[in-house]
Amino acid sequence: MNGTPPQLITYVDRLAGTVAGVQEMLDTRLSGMFGGIHLLPYFTPFDGVDAGFDPRDHTRIDPRLGTWDDVRALSGDAVVMSDVIVNHVSADSDAFLDVRRRGDASPWAPMFLTLDAVFPDGAREDDLARIYRPRPGLPFTVMELGGRKRLVWTTFTADQVDIDLRTEVAWDYLTSVLDALGAAGVTMLRLDAVGYTGKEAGTDCFMTASTDRYTRRILELAHDRGMRVLLEVHGHFTQQIDIARSVDYVYDFALPPLLLHALHAHDLRPLAQWLDVRPANTITVLDTHDGIGIVDVGESDLKPGVPGLLAPAQIDALVEAIHDASGGTSRLATGAAASNLDLYQVNCTYYDAVGADDRAYLLARLVQLMVPGVPQVYYVGLFAGRNDVELLRATGVGRDVNRHHYTADEIDLELERPVVRALGELLRLRAAHPAFDGTFTADLADTRGLLRWEQGAHRVTMELDVAQRSFTLTATDGDADWRRTVDELLAGA
């Protein structure tokens, strides 16, 4: 697992336009960097209200992006991961539109969740106030179903209608999605928003016993089809440790804010604490299509009385440090300043979060590549991208600040930047060096530390200093050692 090559995570349209274009880019300009790719939603349509996470048809690739044959061809060269959007579908899906017309007479009616399906005896104020939701307000939208006004469960937006996994019609739907992906050669699944599926009266409706049962059922379906499963859950760090025992992979969402804390506060101790307890079966990230998670290192109502990896004052200082480092552009995209807001994330590119400092950025990326797990690099992060304030102002969607649309000419220019060239060199080292199949050790103090991989005579060692934003990388190269400082990497030495 530790020797698994890095993965790229990208939108098809925002990087290369088509699936075939993505494959061509992996084969040429990004050659040797990645052994896998997570294609963010490319289903019909890929450009809905939530950038593809609201599919009208989850079993069809959007024809503007390519065909299933294109995905199948890509899977011959790389491990392909796709999203399975477990919690909801588009309110414009054929199935839900039929329910809107016919109400309970529609064969699809049992698939969609209403308030009274969870609270048949009615919900009290305490019941509603207890429901955990990533955004302000209650997760219901008044809709007319077959001529009758109902409270439909909409956890994320009114355009995304929750499905009821207590019903077989919902499982028939999910099985059809897995079958379509499997037939196209997809071998890794990311379960999106699965934590919200287990709505139960008397609970906060998040990560309940039902959620666990549903996850295990999806795991069985996936494993029967030769697929591995990544679970996406934001929450208290102890939850990730617990969840990791029962799935193939979890995200290491704690790593991004802990590295930012280390760089801004000159303090490696919380990261050292995390490295002592974190699971090994992780997908490591610094950035994704979402914001930088904060709840993953803080206290949580989901684990009352259990401290986080960072204290509340440290988190407050970290958020302000990110806003200052980005010149205030992340503040424009975060919280009440932008729609599609999440209460637990800061919307910012990782490069801007470290103040567009090439040395700090490469240090953070190298730590990501060094810790155990499968490193996954977001397409904007691959190019050390800046906050796209123009796109943010055009859409009003906070996350769009980190979802730039790259042209082919832009990519050519970005690949010539020293920081991007150096990151490519580090990715190729991580993809090919045999030491990463061996044993990992870490020794971190207040501001300085050492990370090392060893297998027999093969070694890769990183000595780092977060106060100086510097590192030295040493790796075996035949009978000799290859050694570079951060400045030498940036200079192309």
Side-chain angles (χ1 to χ4, degrees), residues 256 260 264 286-294 318-335 345-356 361 365 378 380-381 384-389 392 397-403:
L260 289 172
H264 287 300
L286 294 188
D287 43 7
T288 70
H289 56 292
D290 291 338
I292 299 168
I294 300 301
L318 172 59
V319 172
E320 289 305 310
I322 294 171
H323 290 330
D324 289 343
S326 73
T329 55
S330 59
R331 198 184 302 276
L332 299 174
T334 299
Q345 296 178 338
V346 175
N347 290 317
C348 186
T349 71
Y350 211 82
Y351 187 62
D352 268 326
V354 297
Y361 187 69
R365 282 294 175 195
Y378 185 53
V380 175
R386 305 297 302 269
N387 283 338
D388 191 338
V389 177
L392 169 66
V397 175
R399 294 175 180 180
D400 277 348
V401 81
N402 189 27
R403 295 179 176 179

Side-chain angles (χ1 to χ4, degrees), residues 186-201:
V186 173
T187 55
M188 289 189 70
L189 306 176
R190 173 186 176 271
L191 304 188
D192 177 70
V194 69
Y196 298 93
T197 58
K199 284 90 166 178
E200 297 178 15

Side-chain angles (χ1 to χ4, degrees), residues 124-143:
R124 300 171 303 167
E125 182 178 348
D126 287 348
D127 295 321
L128 299 178
R130 187 185 295 128
I131 296 171
Y132 181 78
R133 187 178 187 236
R135 292 162 192 170
L138 293 174
F140 306 105
T141 301
V142 177
M143 297 185 186

Side-chain angles (χ1 to χ4, degrees), residues 122-461:
R124 300 171 303 167
E125 182 178 348
D126 287 348
D127 295 321
L128 299 178
R130 187 185 295 128
I131 296 171
Y132 181 78
R133 187 178 187 236
R135 292 162 192 170
L138 293 174
F140 306 105
T141 301
V142 177
M143 297 185 186
E144 193 168 289
L145 308 183
R148 176 188 171 197
K149 287 189 175 180
R150 307 287 299 277
L151 279 174
V152 177
W153 209 298
T154 52
T155 293
F156 289 89
T157 72
D159 299 288
Q160 294 159 288
V161 179
D162 290 17
I163 63 177
D164 190 347
L165 293 185
R166 297 172 302 176
T167 66
E168 283 308 306
V169 66
W171 284 100
D172 289 343
Y173 160 75
L174 287 177
T175 301
S176 72
V177 172
L178 267 61
D179 286 341
L181 295 173
V186 173
T187 55
M188 289 189 70
L189 306 176
R190 173 186 176 271
L191 304 188
D192 177 70
V194 69
Y196 298 93
T197 58
K199 284 90 166 178
E200 297 178 15
T203 74
D204 60 10
C205 297
F206 183 77
M207 295 302 296
T208 63
S210 295
T211 303
D212 183 58
R213 290 196 304 273
Y214 301 151
T215 302
R216 282 189 275 111
R217 185 167 176 178
I218 296 172
L219 273 168
E220 291 173 4
L221 291 170
H223 290 169
D224 287 345
R225 290 159 176 77
M227 299 170 168
R228 292 166 292 162
V229 172
L230 164 65
L231 200 66
E232 184 234 10
V233 175
H234 283 281
H236 196 269
F237 75 91
T238 57
Q239 287 178 296
Q240 298 286 27
I241 296 172
D242 293 340
I243 293 166
R245 299 187 181 104
S246 59
V247 298
D248 298 311
Y249 297 100
V250 294
Y251 279 112
D252 184 352
F253 282 134
L255 183 65
L258 290 178
L259 270 172
L260 289 172
H261 168 80
L263 287 164
H264 287 300
H266 301 167
D267 177 19
L268 282 165
R269 290 170 297 177
L271 178 60
Q273 177 190 349
W274 175 232
L275 291 183
D276 284 342
V277 299
R278 71 189 285 275
N281 56 325
T282 59
I283 302 293
T284 66
V285 294
L286 294 188
D287 43 7
T288 70
H289 56 292
D290 291 338
I292 299 168
I294 300 301
V295 68
D296 305 282
V297 292
E299 298 175 353
S300 172
D301 292 340
L302 302 172
K303 289 280 186 175
V306 182
L309 294 165
L310 295 179
Q314 290 174 309
I315 289 177
D316 290 344
L318 172 59
V319 172
E320 289 305 310
I322 294 171
H323 290 330
D324 289 343
S326 73
T329 55
S330 59
R331 198 184 302 276
L332 299 174
T334 299
S339 63
N340 195 25
L341 70 145
D342 294 279
L343 302 180
Y344 50 73
Q345 296 178 338
V346 175
N347 290 317
C348 186
T349 71
Y350 211 82
Y351 187 62
D352 268 326
V354 297
D357 182 320
D358 289 354
R359 299 167 86 250
Y361 187 69
L362 280 185
L363 187 156
R365 282 294 175 195
L366 185 53
V367 172
Q368 178 198 4
L369 298 177
M370 289 290 292
V371 298
V374 181
Q376 193 179 81
V377 177
Y378 185 53
Y379 78 107
V380 175
L382 176 64
F383 303 125
R386 305 297 302 269
N387 283 338
D388 191 338
V389 177
E390 184 178 342
L391 180 61
L392 169 66
R393 286 175 175 153
T395 67
V397 175
R399 294 175 180 180
D400 277 348
V401 81
N402 189 27
R403 295 179 176 179
H404 182 67
H405 293 260
Y406 283 94
T407 66
D409 288 343
E410 276 184 291
I411 291 171
D412 287 338
L413 289 172
E414 296 298 328
L415 287 170
E416 292 304 313
R417 290 170 56 203
V419 64
V420 178
R421 289 202 314 267
L423 177 54
E425 187 172 355
L426 296 178
L427 285 164
R428 291 185 175 100
L429 175 74
R430 177 63 176 80
H433 202 285
F436 292 103
D437 289 316
T439 302
F440 173 76
T441 55
D443 182 11
L444 301 179
D446 290 349
T447 63
R448 304 177 69 182
L450 181 145
L451 305 175
R452 174 177 290 163
W453 283 94
E454 290 184 273
Q455 179 179 248
H458 303 290
R459 298 179 309 279
V460 176
T461 303

